[in-house]
Amino acid sequence: MAGVSLNKARTIVRKALAKGQELELKPLSVVVLDAGGHVQAFEREDGASPGRFDIARGKAYGAVMLGMSGSAQMARAEQQAYFMNAVNGVFGGAVIPVPGGVLLRDKKGDVIGAVGVTGDTSDNDAIAAMAGIEAAGLMGEA
């Protein structure tokens, strides 16, 4: 299984932040995780609160560990809160099931990681993540 390269991860971060600036979003934080849930790249814009790393990571971590986007996780949490509560317990409370956690796929459709963006509304976070993913020539599932 191919992974997300450091070069691609940096492109995702840079372009996601650029999209946030273009849309005049609040200061963003962006993390890229590999398929094992390990941090490949992270940046926090000036003015973003320090706790944003954990939020961005939680959004991405849930996506990669469950194989579903943050939007899908949120829908699942609304339908079956007990399931998402149990899953979050399994993962030590590290999952944040909201938009902005985007599953990262290569051109073949294989999961190679996830992107987590936080700082503005969850929907805007997802828009920024998708912009970074597309700029890196990869596919995202928001």
Side-chain angles (χ1 to χ4, degrees), residues 83-127:
F83 173 78
M84 288 306 295
N85 283 335
V87 164
N88 218 350
V90 168
F91 293 119
V95 174
I96 299 180
V98 297
V102 180
L103 207 53
L104 186 57
R105 297 180 183 273
D106 64 15
K107 291 180 182 180
K108 293 187 228 172
D110 294 330
V111 174
I112 59 171
V115 177
V117 177
T118 184
D120 204 88
T121 66
S122 291
D123 290 335
N124 284 340
D125 294 343
I127 290 167

Side-chain angles (χ1 to χ4, degrees), residues 7 9 21 68 73 78 80-81 92 124:
N7 187 48
Q21 291 167 0
M68 64 173 67
Q73 291 174 63
E78 290 169 348
Q80 296 178 312
N124 284 340

Side-chain angles (χ1 to χ4, degrees), residues 1-113:
M1 173 177 69
V4 57
S5 70
L6 179 58
N7 187 48
K8 293 272 188 187
R10 287 177 172 162
T11 296
I12 291 167
V13 169
R14 187 175 69 252
K15 296 297 185 174
L17 293 176
K19 186 65 170 182
Q21 291 167 0
E22 173 191 326
L23 297 175
E24 299 182 357
L25 303 182
K26 294 176 183 171
L28 298 180
S29 295
V30 181
V31 70
V32 179
L33 304 182
D34 66 16
H38 304 100
V39 175
Q40 183 73 359
F42 171 76
E43 285 191 30
R44 179 174 58 92
E45 285 187 299
D46 293 342
S49 63
R52 292 292 177 174
F53 169 78
D54 293 318
I55 297 169
R57 184 181 174 278
K59 288 181 175 188
Y61 192 75
V64 75
M65 288 303 172
L66 295 172
M68 64 173 67
S69 69
S71 298
Q73 291 174 63
M74 187 168 84
R76 184 78 181 261
E78 290 169 348
Q79 296 167 2
Q80 296 178 312
Y82 61 89
F83 173 78
M84 288 306 295
N85 283 335
V87 164
N88 218 350
V90 168
F91 293 119
V95 174
I96 299 180
V98 297
V102 180
L103 207 53
L104 186 57
R105 297 180 183 273
D106 64 15
K107 291 180 182 180
K108 293 187 228 172
D110 294 330
V111 174
I112 59 171

